[in-house]
Amino acid sequence: MRALPILALALAMLLPCTAMASPPQPAQDTTATRPAWDDLTAQQRETLIAPLRARWDDNPDQRDRMYEHAQRWQHMTPDQRKRAHRGMNRWKHMGPEQREQARALFGKMRGMSKEDRDALRRQWHDMTPEQRRQWVEQNPPADP
């Protein structure tokens, strides 16, 4: 049973990779044509799992975190998973300064009420780049 969360993480991480690896296809519902996990060949399963296996083996200090992410993924709704994918894509395209700002904002917002988070978001959008840098200096991210 422990393999299921790891498998879910592997599949979630591979979705962007498979989209980039194959040419665009016409929009169609291929859900019915894709086999269930139990119907995949051993080679197909290995193809899906190999990148995760390599990442797992290459990063022993990240294994707890990877496992926790896989468990959380199992409990997400489809909408939450979509939002997570959008967030991962945004993160991928951020520069180092933007990532530091995002970490600082996330850390600060983590313990706030919805109203306070909304107020901070509005304040952030009204700030100049220099004011944002100063804010991050005054509110450094907890885990850089």
Side-chain angles (χ1 to χ4, degrees):
M1 291 307 274
R2 295 185 84 172
L4 288 178
I6 294 171
L7 174 63
L9 177 64
L11 294 176
M13 291 179 353
L14 290 176
L15 288 175
C17 297
T18 58
M20 292 176 3
S22 60
Q25 299 294 320
Q28 61 185 10
D29 183 13
T30 59
T31 308
T33 61
R34 302 277 187 232
W37 181 261
D38 290 336
D39 296 331
L40 293 173
T41 64
Q43 183 178 6
Q44 289 170 319
R45 290 179 189 177
E46 180 59 28
T47 299
L48 290 169
I49 293 174
L52 178 63
R53 180 180 293 122
R55 189 170 168 205
W56 182 271
D57 288 343
D58 293 344
N59 299 289
D61 57 325
Q62 293 292 317
R63 290 177 186 166
D64 286 340
R65 184 171 183 225
M66 291 170 67
Y67 189 74
E68 288 168 11
H69 283 204
Q71 287 180 314
R72 273 201 319 252
W73 189 264
Q74 286 291 311
H75 293 62
M76 286 183 175
T77 66
D79 186 53
Q80 289 171 323
R81 289 178 183 183
K82 269 186 198 173
R83 287 196 320 258
H85 276 293
R86 280 196 306 265
M88 286 185 282
N89 284 331
R90 270 197 323 264
W91 183 262
K92 247 190 330 193
H93 294 95
M94 285 182 182
E97 184 177 4
Q98 288 176 309
R99 287 183 180 189
E100 182 181 12
Q101 291 175 353
R103 282 186 194 102
L105 275 171
F106 182 78
K108 185 75 169 181
M109 289 182 176
R110 182 174 259 161
M112 292 181 159
S113 68
K114 181 176 178 2
E115 295 78 22
D116 291 340
R117 284 193 309 268
D118 291 343
L120 180 54
R121 254 188 228 104
R122 285 190 300 275
Q123 178 187 356
W124 182 262
H125 288 295
D126 292 341
M127 289 181 191
T128 65
E130 182 55 36
Q131 289 172 323
R132 289 178 181 175
R133 278 194 271 301
Q134 290 174 359
W135 187 92
V136 170
E137 285 176 16
Q138 295 168 358
N139 300 277
D143 295 321

